[in-house]
Amino acid sequence: FFLFRRTMGSVRVCLRTWLRLSLICVTALSSNLAVVAKMYRKPNIVLILTDDLDVAIGGMVRHIMHFVASPLCCPSRASILTGKYPHNHHVINNTLEGNCSSLAWQKSQESATFPLLLQKLAYYQTFFAGKYLNEYGNPEAGGVEYVPPGWDYWFALEKNSKYYNYTLSVNGKPQRHGQNYSQDYLTDVLASVSLEFLSYKSNYRPFFMMVSTPAPHSPWTAAPQYEGRFSDIKAPRDPSFNVHGKDKHWLIRQAKTPMTNSSVEFLDDAFQKRWRTLLSVDDLVEKVVKNLEARGELENTYIMFTSDNGYHTGQFSLPVDKRQLYEFDIRVPLLVRGPNIKPNQTSPMLIANVDLGPTILDMAGININQTKMDGISFLPLMNGQSNSSSWRTDMLVEYEGEGSNISDPACPLLGPGVSECFPDCVCEDSYNNTYACVRTVSTSTNLQYCEFDDSEVFVEVYNLTADPFQLTNIAKSIEQEVLEKMNHRLMMLQSCSGQSCRTAGVFDARYKFDPRLMFNDHGPHISRLHQALK
């Protein structure tokens, strides 16, 4: 695994946290007979989920092809829990109206999440601690008294990421916390309750433990002992930093380039604070791993580490946020270790967060064909039982833009519909920032194709082999045949469900490129996802 430590201005990978864990996926099992005997038991599974941790702009390796189905917290978390794309689980944003932890979500989707299947089909004891869905605990959806099905032990944060002054639902009872570091700092509280679970759980049943930290989400509050760290670093100045996206959709084109000094100072400060919060995540992971090792359970436990979405700090002159289609917002870290996973593996295969649930079920011995999940298990890729040539080459990214039909008083010239605006009227989102993309990775192709539900019916296409930072939109220069195939594949993915999401489909040569066919009814904020909620 890694630690977010820094020496002499360069991020370094540290083995302290994961002990013998290596980058992407891995540790070798010892060959002694005792460990071999343990392998006949169902494995334990630990999922550690961070919030807004990106892979493309620092701190993690770039060669892990792991992407999210939506670059926003609640839709992405819903995809992790259900193994479904947003058009199938119908969570479109972080609001109750957008189906985030709503009564409709509870009735339609929570009865088929992977933790419930672990509990019902494989007799797992299940534990959750941390941020669940952004609107969890809303009184209109049952409050903190509501405990979703599938969880034996429940320590969930009310609503969005915080570090102090929050309320936890402890098995349906509110537990309020203040701002005393030793008692209330949320990342440390999650570490403590996780260790408590490991001490009081049954030793006769396998367990699944999901720990969902607030870090590195805003408000970026570090533990006191880490507040002075990283004061000499700045956000990465990669080739897309503070560059005008002149050939991109209008929301990117409206960004001011160069950024104001105040915006640059703000994003650099945010970058430092985000890294500081992650030092406590390091501590949490180290405690969990050491506890499992001391209990003799580490060799029979899968541990997965990932994030719900990426983040940007200055790319294409957008100060800080997510919600965009580019690699820095949709590509996230993924590290796994566990039984039969060989050391020092990396994988060029395309893995999506809709695959996490199916993979965890596969680890538990559950046949994912019994589910309606869109994803597929990547466990065979890690233990060498799958032929990479048969692996999927495409995945879907969907996002429903957020914004109001009234103008932002601070930015009236931008008109109605913008949101997440900075003081200098650089807005990070809008209602017609609604798009769908197909991300393609194969031995010969590394492409991204996206269509927008806006007045321009805008299309963006990137060849990431030649242009890894997505500086040049090649939609107007790429071959017509490629456009037709990508457009066709995107339409098929946006209407897929279950098994059909995992196969490429048959391309009809008579098909003609027409991005207007992507969305049900052309016009602002009328997308396939939005219609699904009506």
Side-chain angles (χ1 to χ4, degrees):
F1 204 79
F2 68 100
L3 280 181
F4 295 87
R5 311 293 180 190
R6 188 177 180 85
T7 57
M8 299 302 290
S10 63
V11 178
R12 66 184 174 88
V13 174
C14 172
L15 298 180
R16 178 176 71 85
T17 300
W18 280 63
L19 305 174
R20 290 175 296 275
L21 297 177
S22 45
L23 288 174
I24 191 168
C25 306
V26 285
T27 55
L29 296 173
S30 73
S31 58
N32 62 69
L33 293 177
V35 172
V36 173
K38 288 181 182 179
M39 290 301 299
Y40 291 99
R41 301 203 314 261
K42 284 187 178 294
N44 306 310
I45 306 165
V46 176
L47 172 61
I48 298 171
L49 181 66
T50 56
D51 199 342
D52 289 359
L53 177 59
D54 57 290
V55 66
I57 58 172
M60 300 293 294
V61 291
R62 290 182 57 89
H63 52 259
I64 308 170
M65 291 292 181
H66 182 226
F67 297 89
V68 297
S70 184
L72 190 63
C73 299
C74 204
S76 178
R77 289 166 182 266
S79 287
I80 292 171
L81 290 165
T82 63
K84 296 179 181 179
Y85 286 120
H87 71 266
N88 286 328
H89 62 59
H90 306 313
V91 178
I92 63 174
N93 58 40
N94 289 342
T95 68
L96 205 62
E97 295 75 20
N99 215 23
C100 181
S101 206
S102 66
L103 292 175
W105 153 266
Q106 294 170 19
K107 292 176 182 178
S108 65
Q109 301 299 325
E110 280 189 330
S111 60
T113 60
F114 78 81
L116 180 61
L117 297 176
L118 285 175
Q119 191 185 60
K120 290 176 61 176
L121 301 180
Y123 200 50
Y124 271 69
Q125 47 195 328
T126 57
F127 167 91
F128 181 86
K131 177 179 174 179
Y132 181 60
L133 301 174
N134 296 57
E135 285 295 323
Y136 172 76
N138 190 310
E140 295 181 31
V144 295
E145 293 76 20
Y146 171 72
V147 177
W151 300 102
D152 295 308
Y153 304 95
W154 181 252
F155 296 84
L157 176 68
E158 180 187 34
K159 297 193 175 180
N160 204 2
S161 293
K162 292 184 177 180
Y163 299 81
Y164 293 110
N165 299 312
Y166 57 86
T167 297
L168 288 178
S169 171
V170 179
N171 297 318
K173 295 182 179 179
Q175 183 184 90
R176 293 176 177 83
H177 287 259
Q179 49 188 11
N180 183 322
Y181 168 70
S182 62
Q183 299 176 359
D184 302 314
Y185 189 69
L186 181 55
T187 309
D188 291 352
V189 169
L190 300 182
S192 296
V193 297
S194 298
L195 297 183
E196 288 175 11
F197 167 71
L198 292 175
S199 68
Y200 63 61
K201 67 175 177 61
S202 168
N203 290 326
Y204 301 100
R205 293 172 58 192
F207 69 84
F208 169 70
M209 182 166 72
M210 181 172 179
V211 186
S212 182
T213 71
H217 196 285
S218 62
W220 313 312
T221 309
Q225 66 269 31
Y226 298 133
E227 286 179 351
R229 300 293 297 274
F230 312 131
S231 58
D232 61 334
I233 68 168
K234 295 181 179 180
R237 267 54 171 173
D238 62 37
S240 63
F241 181 83
N242 208 5
V243 169
H244 187 239
K246 59 182 180 299
D247 58 3
K248 295 170 171 50
H249 63 284
W250 82 269
L251 191 63
I252 304 298
R253 298 196 303 266
Q254 61 85 35
K256 292 180 175 61
T257 306
M259 290 182 285
T260 62
N261 290 337
S262 60
S263 288
V264 174
E265 291 171 1
F266 179 82
L267 68 87
D268 280 337
D269 182 62
F271 189 81
Q272 294 171 8
K273 289 178 177 177
R274 292 174 68 225
W275 277 95
R276 290 169 187 153
T277 66
L278 288 165
L279 294 176
S280 294
V281 177
D282 287 341
D283 296 335
L284 179 155
V285 176
E286 180 182 33
K287 290 173 183 177
V288 169
V289 172
K290 283 188 173 181
N291 186 285
L292 289 169
E293 186 174 47
R295 298 175 60 85
E297 295 182 299
L298 184 61
E299 290 81 4
N300 195 42
T301 301
Y302 288 103
I303 302 178
M304 312 176 78
F305 181 98
T306 190
S307 178
D308 58 359
N309 51 254
Y311 207 72
H312 57 257
T313 47
Q315 281 62 42
F316 300 126
S317 298
L318 298 176
V320 296
D321 198 49
K322 46 231 177 179
R323 309 168 201 261
Q324 298 299 327
L325 59 92
Y326 309 104
E327 295 283 282
F328 43 72
D329 284 356
I330 67 170
R331 190 169 173 184
V332 296
L334 173 64
L335 297 100
V336 187
R337 63 92 64 206
N340 287 333
I341 299 177
K342 296 179 181 179
N344 301 317
Q345 291 187 80
T346 60
S347 175
M349 299 298 104
L350 184 64
I351 295 172
N353 65 349
V354 296
D355 300 330
L356 292 173
T359 301
I360 290 170
L361 294 179
D362 194 10
M363 290 171 173
I366 298 172
N367 183 355
I368 65 166
N369 291 325
Q370 296 177 301
T371 75
K372 296 181 180 180
M373 293 183 173
D374 302 333
I376 188 169
S377 170
F378 57 86
L379 181 61
L381 288 179
M382 296 188 292
N383 60 25
Q385 297 178 359
S386 175
N387 182 355
S388 59
S389 64
S390 63
W391 189 253
R392 74 133 92 74
T393 58
D394 303 293
M395 67 154 288
L396 179 67
V397 180
E398 301 175 290
Y399 180 67
E400 174 89 5
E402 294 185 64
S404 170
N405 280 326
I406 61 173
S407 297
D408 187 323
C411 306
L413 295 179
L414 290 176
V418 295
S419 64
E420 310 295 324
C421 296
F422 280 78
D424 49 0
C425 291
V426 174
C427 298
E428 296 274 2
D429 203 6
S430 69
Y431 66 77
N432 65 351
N433 183 36
T434 294
Y435 58 81
C437 304
V438 58
R439 186 70 175 85
T440 299
V441 177
S442 68
T443 54
S444 60
T445 306
N446 189 5
L447 285 177
Q448 184 180 27
Y449 173 94
C450 301
E451 298 176 7
F452 280 82
D453 185 17
D454 60 15
S455 60
E456 298 178 288
V457 198
F458 204 76
V459 175
E460 296 191 31
V461 184
Y462 297 96
N463 178 350
L464 283 102
T465 300
D467 180 21
F469 294 97
Q470 296 169 289
L471 300 176
T472 304
N473 178 9
I474 59 173
K476 294 182 179 179
S477 60
I478 197 169
E479 295 88 346
Q480 184 74 10
E481 181 183 0
V482 176
L483 282 177
E484 290 174 351
K485 288 184 176 180
M486 298 294 280
N487 182 216
H488 179 264
R489 181 61 179 140
L490 182 54
M491 290 190 68
M492 293 191 68
L493 281 171
Q494 271 245 294
S495 60
C496 76
S497 179
Q499 179 66 35
S500 63
C501 296
R502 309 169 202 160
T503 56
V506 178
F507 175 70
D508 188 337
R510 295 171 297 176
Y511 183 83
K512 299 303 178 185
F513 170 66
D514 187 355
R516 290 180 181 272
L517 297 176
M518 251 309 297
F519 299 96
N520 286 346
D521 187 10
H522 179 64
H525 216 241
I526 310 250
S527 74
R528 191 180 297 265
L529 291 177
H530 189 67
Q531 289 290 325
L533 293 178
K534 292 187 175 181

